[in-house]
Amino acid sequence: MNTFCFTSKDEERYARASLMFAKRLGLIDDSSLDAVRVRCNAENEKRQRALDAGEVVYGLKQFTLPVYLDYELTRFRLDFAAEAEACKKAFNYQPIDKKQLKEYYKANSDLFTRYNGDKFRFKESSMVIYKKIREEQYDAEINAILCQLD
């Protein structure tokens, strides 16, 4: 598939805002959809060279544009939540203290339950909570960009 398949204008706007934020973070140099196409082609060529050389390729052998865009958008979110070095250089992360972590744990206790109903303890969940809070901050940044686009 050689085109982007957005299911709605909102989905396209979200993707564009995410790409703009990734550029601000220094994760990419160009936030245009044409640049996504170029990066997708480069990744596909890299994977093909590795396959031709008999190397192991993890994941897909070849990306379609919609799948590659989803891959990039997911990677941007995860890099932000994990406070990747490039993100730390470009973004002023606010510290998250133990009180905030515990408040999130209490407010979202349903997220920290095992299949059989017993709960994960706070200590077991604190790293996940930390990243969930960072993901909420990421969403807030994207929403701010979307508001600017309006």
Side-chain angles (χ1 to χ4, degrees):
M1 186 172 281
N2 228 3
T3 60
F4 295 99
C5 299
F6 296 109
T7 58
S8 67
K9 277 289 186 195
D10 287 342
E11 183 181 22
E12 182 177 355
R13 288 178 69 247
Y14 181 86
R16 288 181 185 275
S18 297
L19 290 165
M20 290 170 67
F21 189 50
K23 183 178 179 186
R24 286 184 196 168
L25 292 173
L27 299 175
I28 55 176
D29 294 328
D30 187 342
S31 63
S32 70
L33 292 177
D34 287 337
V36 173
R37 183 176 279 109
V38 169
R39 290 190 299 272
C40 178
N41 289 338
E43 181 65 26
N44 285 337
E45 288 171 9
K46 178 179 132 189
R47 288 170 182 262
Q48 189 58 52
R49 281 192 305 275
L51 288 169
D52 291 345
E55 298 172 16
V56 175
V57 173
Y58 294 98
L60 300 173
K61 292 179 182 179
Q62 183 173 352
F63 285 99
T64 62
L65 282 174
V67 171
Y68 185 78
L69 177 63
D70 187 54
Y71 164 77
E72 273 201 338
L73 298 182
T74 301
R75 194 188 82 229
F76 300 151
R77 173 185 284 278
L78 293 174
D79 284 351
F80 182 86
E83 298 179 10
E85 204 56 45
C87 295
K88 286 199 305 196
K89 289 178 184 175
F91 188 80
N92 185 21
Y93 285 98
Q94 298 302 314
I96 299 172
D97 61 21
K98 194 170 185 174
K99 181 182 175 195
Q100 287 173 285
L101 295 173
K102 285 189 175 191
E103 286 173 2
Y104 190 94
Y105 178 78
K106 287 178 186 174
N108 298 284
S109 61
D110 58 316
L111 297 177
F112 308 106
T113 306
R114 291 184 178 90
Y115 179 74
N116 60 358
D118 62 324
K119 293 184 183 241
F120 287 98
R121 294 187 327 241
F122 172 75
K123 277 188 172 184
E124 296 172 305
S125 307
S126 61
M127 185 175 286
V128 172
I129 296 166
Y130 188 90
K131 290 189 178 181
K132 292 295 281 179
I133 291 171
R134 286 292 183 230
E135 285 182 358
E136 287 180 359
Q137 290 173 337
Y138 180 87
D139 290 336
E141 293 295 324
I142 299 302
N143 287 330
I145 293 170
L146 288 170
C147 288
Q148 291 170 359
L149 293 177
D150 291 339

